[in-house]
Amino acid sequence: MSDELNRIRETTLEEKVQSKIFDPTPQRKKYVIELLYKFFSQQITYSELTGIPQKELFQLAEAGHLKLTYGRVAEAQQLFECLVKLDPHNYYYHAALGSVYQKIKKYVEAVFEYTEALRYNPDDVASMVNRGEVYLIHKNFRKAAEDFRAAILKDPSGRNNYSNRARSLVIAIKRNLQIQKHGGGAEKPGNMLPARKS
């Protein structure tokens, strides 16, 4: 009787996927070719190609956020780099990886990741402000001002913490430039960043 149960048992998800992959029928070959074409033409992500559920990716992202919050930056970096490769169309993964790079002072990579995040979600105020801060640190005031202005315009009511941060940075830059203009010995604008909220 136990042999009958073993033969009747349900196939696991992994077994079903394996049988679909190795099924030699013409319909299956066509399906696999179409799937690979979509992947190589960037219509679908690696996670969609392999069937990794979004729920699992989000759980990894939550773990990465916690690691970043508690100072385990190297582990957070590994997680978000992996998530960006699995699902490069998700703006949050790019924004989080940008935060990791900014924290470890890899500013070029941080700007790239923030820009990618904004490509997939132009309304991501956090990425605008963080990228603006990187520009400000490197004294690229024009680009910093553009990012801060865009962030402020996205939130005219002042409800978003990041847009409020952009407002305070703009005020600090203006004050510092006025002091420099009048010959005062103030700090440079790149060093006038208010304390950053984590």
Side-chain angles (χ1 to χ4, degrees):
M1 185 104 177
S2 63
D3 289 336
E4 282 181 36
L5 289 175
N6 283 338
R7 281 188 228 141
I8 299 174
R9 75 173 174 81
E10 287 187 36
T11 55
T12 64
L13 178 64
E14 185 178 315
E15 289 171 338
K16 287 178 184 177
V17 169
Q18 289 295 328
S19 68
K20 286 181 183 178
I21 289 175
F22 296 116
D23 184 9
T25 63
Q27 295 88 1
R28 182 64 194 154
K29 287 179 185 177
K30 181 181 177 191
Y31 171 75
V32 170
I33 289 170
E34 287 175 356
L35 198 62
L36 289 172
Y37 175 78
K38 286 179 181 178
F39 174 68
F40 289 123
S41 62
Q42 297 181 347
Q43 295 174 27
I44 62 172
T45 64
Y46 184 76
S47 65
E48 292 169 322
L49 176 70
T50 56
I52 300 172
Q54 285 294 318
K55 184 179 178 181
E56 290 181 17
L57 297 179
F58 291 140
Q59 289 172 344
L60 285 173
E62 286 177 5
H65 178 75
L66 283 172
K67 288 180 185 301
L68 184 60
T69 302
Y70 290 104
R72 296 167 68 177
V73 181
E75 293 173 32
Q77 179 181 351
Q78 288 177 338
L79 271 173
F80 286 118
E81 284 175 348
C82 179
L83 286 168
V84 163
K85 288 176 185 168
L86 289 172
D87 187 1
H89 300 156
N90 189 311
Y91 83 95
Y92 176 74
Y93 303 154
H94 287 286
L97 185 56
S99 295
V100 169
Y101 286 146
Q102 185 174 357
K103 197 166 218 122
I104 61 175
K105 298 183 185 340
K106 287 187 168 185
Y107 295 119
V108 173
E109 291 89 344
V111 168
F112 175 79
E113 292 301 333
Y114 291 139
T115 303
E116 285 294 295
L118 290 167
R119 186 175 98 173
Y120 294 112
N121 182 7
D123 296 326
D124 184 20
V125 175
S127 291
M128 285 178 209
V129 175
N130 288 338
R131 186 175 68 176
E133 285 183 18
V134 174
Y135 287 143
L136 185 61
I137 289 168
H138 289 89
K139 299 180 178 97
N140 190 338
F141 301 118
R142 184 182 57 80
K143 285 190 174 185
E146 288 172 5
D147 278 346
F148 295 152
R149 181 178 185 275
I152 292 167
L153 291 175
K154 294 278 182 195
D155 180 41
S157 62
R159 292 184 180 156
N160 186 299
N161 288 338
Y162 283 97
S163 66
N164 290 335
R165 179 158 177 76
R167 287 178 178 88
S168 66
L169 288 168
V170 168
I171 291 168
I173 291 169
K174 284 181 181 179
R175 285 182 185 163
N176 195 27
L177 290 175
Q178 287 174 348
I179 291 171
Q180 284 183 349
K181 185 177 180 181
H182 296 299
E187 294 181 42
K188 296 179 182 174
N191 298 330
M192 291 284 294
L193 293 175
R196 187 168 190 234
K197 291 180 183 177
S198 296

